[in-house]
Amino acid sequence: MPNLPAFIPAAFLIAMVPGPATVMLIKQSAKGSRRNAFATIAGIEAGIAFWGLAAVFGLTALLLASQIAYDVLRVAGAVFLIYLGVKALFFAKPSDDAEPAGRGFRSGFLINVSNPKAGVFAISFLPQFVPAGAGPWPLLLCVAVWIAVDIVWFSSLALLVTRLGGWLRRDRVKRWLERTSGGVLVGFGVTVALEG
């Protein structure tokens, strides 16, 4: 069995560290639609499930073993983050308030899947809480708990932001939020691109 008393607090601390997924969720939740916010969370967690399962079955070891594979995914992830940031900075439209939930899911999923650091993190983080030679089931339980912890944290954040939705959708505040989230996403993208 995994060491859940140690794993759960660690998973909460990791969830609370702001990253691209947090920025994307705040951006989507600020539009005031809980449906879209929770679709974004579903996409984020689908991305975590992808990397978690990849770690359980050894696929993320390819990222550690192949610098080329890691670099290709890293650059692709950086380009995607910069694209999202530039779009928010310069091409946001009023009609963006009515984005379908499917777009929120896709954005949340791609934010995590295009991030090779998430894969490397999964393969280095999860095994710390599982006895050596325990097999895949304890790791799978850790992945499930990791997703559950993430859902609790991100749902709380989404509900807080959607409750502030009316204020956040004021024209001046909305423009500030779009520019801020765009700048942060570009910053994350540039940081990922420059990391070797």
Side-chain angles (χ1 to χ4, degrees), residues 70-135:
Y70 180 84
D71 286 341
V72 167
L73 190 55
R74 177 177 58 82
V75 171
V79 168
F80 180 65
L81 287 172
I82 292 169
Y83 160 76
L84 291 175
V86 169
K87 184 179 175 187
L89 280 168
F90 301 109
F91 301 103
K93 300 175 183 177
S95 60
D96 285 350
D97 288 341
E99 282 186 1
R103 190 174 298 173
F105 178 89
R106 186 171 64 247
S107 296
F109 180 70
L110 290 175
I111 279 281
N112 270 347
V113 168
S114 63
N115 183 3
K117 292 173 71 176
V120 172
F121 173 78
I123 199 173
S124 60
F125 175 65
L126 296 176
Q128 296 179 47
F129 301 91
V130 176

Side-chain angles (χ1 to χ4, degrees), residues 12-76:
F12 262 111
L13 287 173
I14 289 158
M16 294 168 70
V17 174
T22 305
V23 174
M24 178 57 65
L25 177 61
I26 291 172
K27 183 177 181 296
Q28 295 289 351
S29 301
K31 298 175 188 219
S33 166
R34 288 188 180 181
R35 182 179 178 188
N36 194 42
F38 283 102
T40 305
I41 293 171
I44 291 168
E45 301 316 316
I48 287 179
F50 172 84
W51 285 120
L53 291 173
V56 169
F57 295 107
L59 299 178
T60 49
L62 294 173
L63 291 177
L64 293 174
S66 172
Q67 185 66 38
I68 293 174
Y70 180 84
D71 286 341
V72 167
L73 190 55
R74 177 177 58 82
V75 171

